[in-house]
Amino acid sequence: MAGKLSFSLVSPEREVFSGLVDQVDAPGVEGDFGVLADHAPFMTALREGPVVVYDGSARRTFTVRGGFADVTPAGLSILAEEATEIAAA
């Protein structure tokens, strides 16, 4: 079984989400991308769109407006200009 990804989503006001997850999909300016544990390091700007966090069978969705995503050996950090969780339907 693959390891967990350390993920943090931060807006100027607060830390919106922090935890160990299986996968995160995000809206990069050059296209959507997904990050799993042990992903190669990279940094990209974000466009407005959904950030989807997968952990087992659970899924949480956040809307972000602008910002940056930084993948390092320690995990994924998203610094968003705005971030709001979308309530599950």
Side-chain angles (χ1 to χ4, degrees):
M1 178 175 192
K4 293 284 192 169
L5 170 70
S6 177
F7 172 58
S8 177
L9 173 58
V10 180
S11 72
E13 295 82 24
R14 64 187 177 93
E15 184 173 61
V16 179
F17 180 92
S18 179
L20 296 175
V21 300
D22 293 320
Q23 178 178 340
V24 177
D25 294 339
V29 294
E30 295 180 11
D32 293 351
F33 62 92
V35 178
L36 301 168
D38 301 320
H39 196 287
F42 76 95
M43 179 180 264
T44 189
L46 297 175
R47 62 178 167 72
E48 184 173 345
V51 171
V52 183
V53 179
Y54 300 91
D55 189 25
S57 62
R59 184 175 101 172
R60 293 175 70 176
T61 304
F62 302 85
T63 297
V64 297
R65 242 183 55 180
F68 293 90
D70 186 24
V71 179
T72 68
L76 168 63
S77 296
I78 292 181
L79 308 173
E81 293 173 14
E82 290 182 28
T84 307
E85 186 166 9
I86 298 172

